[in-house]
């Protein structure tokens, strides 16, 4: 069983469209994340949820909206896609933050490669 | 502003050679991790270092955390083609508005030729 799974793995769409990426983890972790990896392989955090509560919201355009229906799922919806949104988006999870301090390791999904034409 | 500077960005070596990858910052980290990422996959944790001066070994890989907890290095002895991949360092800065954040370096792409 895959620990952190995301769908779809590949997404090709036109500029201006709306798309969603789904993520599920079966590790029993309380904390989930969305990271963006650009063409130069730089990984940058976008959002973090701890037990369905948004705790990290980096400087990300409002067009990006995360949703966590339960602690095992964290989805990412992107409105009005732009060329610059093309990247690989990684979902990750980690054990519960202790006193909001990061600890443990991040378990990443395989990534969702988004290409905006 | 890039919190963690990794060097070199690219490394291409022959099988059997030794190499060192560096991760430097002006910030102090509560912990630092090294991940390895292969094409089409997500990063996978190799090691976490927490104490200044700490050295950890994982087979042919040796990880060191600087005394001041601002830098780290990864040394690979007798590299093999299977070591090929993107090596990422990541630091946790647990203070103020950065609570819970893990900052990644830009990575070192290692290619080991047979």
């Amino acid at each position: 069983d895959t620990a952190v799974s995301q769908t779809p793995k590949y997404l090709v769409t036109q500029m201006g469209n709306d798309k969603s990426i789904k993520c599920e983890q079966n590790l029993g972790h309380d904390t989930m994340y969305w990271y963006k990896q650009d063409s130069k392989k730089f990984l940058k955090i976008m959002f973090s949820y701890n037990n369905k509560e948004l705790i990290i919201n980096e400087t990300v355009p409002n067009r990006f909206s995360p949703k966590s229906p339960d602690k095992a799922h964290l989805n990412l919806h992107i409105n009005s896609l732009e060329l610059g949104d093309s990247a690989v988006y990684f979902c990750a999870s980690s054990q519960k933050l202790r006193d909001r301090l990061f600890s443990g390791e991040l378990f990443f999904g395989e990534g969702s490669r988004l290409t905006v034409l | 502003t890039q919190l963690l500077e990794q060097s070199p960005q690219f490394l291409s070596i022959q099988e059997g050679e030794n190499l060192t990858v560096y991760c430097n910052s002006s910030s102090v980290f509560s912990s630092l991790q090294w991940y390895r990422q292969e094409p089409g996959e997500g990063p996978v944790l190799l090691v976490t270092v927490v104490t200044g001066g700490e050295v950890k070994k994982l087979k042919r890989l040796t990880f060191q955390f600087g005394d001041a907890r601002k830098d780290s290095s990864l040394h690979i002895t007798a590299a093999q083609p299977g070591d090929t991949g993107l090596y990422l360092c990541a630091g946790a800065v647990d203070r103020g508005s950065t609570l819970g954040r893990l900052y990644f370096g830009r990575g070192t792409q290692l290619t080991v030729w047979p």
Side-chain angles (χ1 to χ4, degrees):
Chain A
D1 262 357
T2 305
V4 181
S5 58
Q6 359 178 166
T7 54
K9 193 174 171 83
Y10 299 97
L11 198 50
V12 181
T13 188
Q14 298 284 337
M15 221 167 39
N17 285 350
D18 303 338
K19 290 294 178 187
S20 293
I21 307 172
K22 295 185 176 182
C23 179
E24 176 182 4
Q25 55 97 0
N26 62 6
L27 297 167
H29 290 164
D30 281 356
T31 309
M32 295 185 72
Y33 310 79
W34 278 110
Y35 277 83
K36 179 181 180 181
Q37 188 171 47
D38 62 23
S39 58
K40 295 185 178 179
K41 305 296 185 183
F42 180 45
L43 259 176
K44 188 174 180 183
I45 191 168
M46 299 173 69
F47 302 103
S48 171
Y49 272 76
N50 189 51
N51 200 12
K52 300 194 297 176
E53 177 193 356
L54 179 66
I55 56 171
I56 294 176
N57 185 353
E58 288 294 279
T59 308
V60 176
N62 291 336
R63 300 181 294 103
F64 290 79
S65 52
K67 276 193 182 158
S68 182
D70 54 63
K71 73 174 193 177
H73 296 83
L74 181 61
N75 304 323
L76 182 66
H77 187 75
I78 315 170
N79 290 325
S80 304
L81 279 157
E82 300 177 358
L83 294 177
D85 297 333
S86 295
V88 181
Y89 292 85
F90 283 99
C91 176
S93 72
S94 67
Q95 288 180 333
K96 181 178 179 178
L97 297 179
R98 290 189 291 245
D99 299 323
R100 296 176 68 87
L101 297 180
F102 180 82
S103 61
E105 71 178 282
L106 286 178
F107 290 80
F108 285 88
E110 291 189 330
S112 296
R113 181 176 291 277
L114 171 65
T115 303
V116 183
L117 303 174
Chain B
T1 303
Q2 183 66 31
L3 203 60
L4 277 164
E5 297 292 339
Q6 262 188 261
S7 61
Q9 187 177 354
F10 298 96
L11 199 50
S12 183
I13 61 172
Q14 291 294 125
E15 182 175 3
E17 292 184 18
N18 301 331
L19 66 111
T20 302
V21 177
Y22 299 93
C23 182
N24 296 300
S25 177
S26 57
S27 298
V28 177
F29 296 102
S30 57
S31 64
L32 195 138
Q33 301 183 329
W34 285 91
Y35 288 79
R36 181 167 158 242
Q37 183 179 12
E38 298 194 32
E41 298 181 8
V44 176
L45 181 71
L46 295 173
V47 78
T48 300
V49 285
V50 178
T51 307
E54 183 176 2
V55 176
K56 279 192 175 178
K57 290 194 175 184
L58 188 66
K59 296 183 181 177
R60 294 176 293 99
L61 278 60
T62 301
F63 304 85
Q64 185 160 7
F65 201 12
D67 291 340
R69 292 187 289 132
K70 292 182 179 182
D71 53 81
S72 180
S73 64
L74 157 60
H75 182 79
I76 301 179
T77 305
Q80 298 177 1
D83 295 328
T84 294
L86 179 70
Y87 290 81
L88 297 157
C89 66
V93 182
D94 296 319
R95 56 175 169 77
S97 63
T98 63
L99 283 176
R101 283 167 173 74
L102 191 66
Y103 293 92
F104 281 83
R106 288 192 175 271
T108 295
Q109 181 62 53
L110 170 66
T111 304
V112 183
W113 300 99

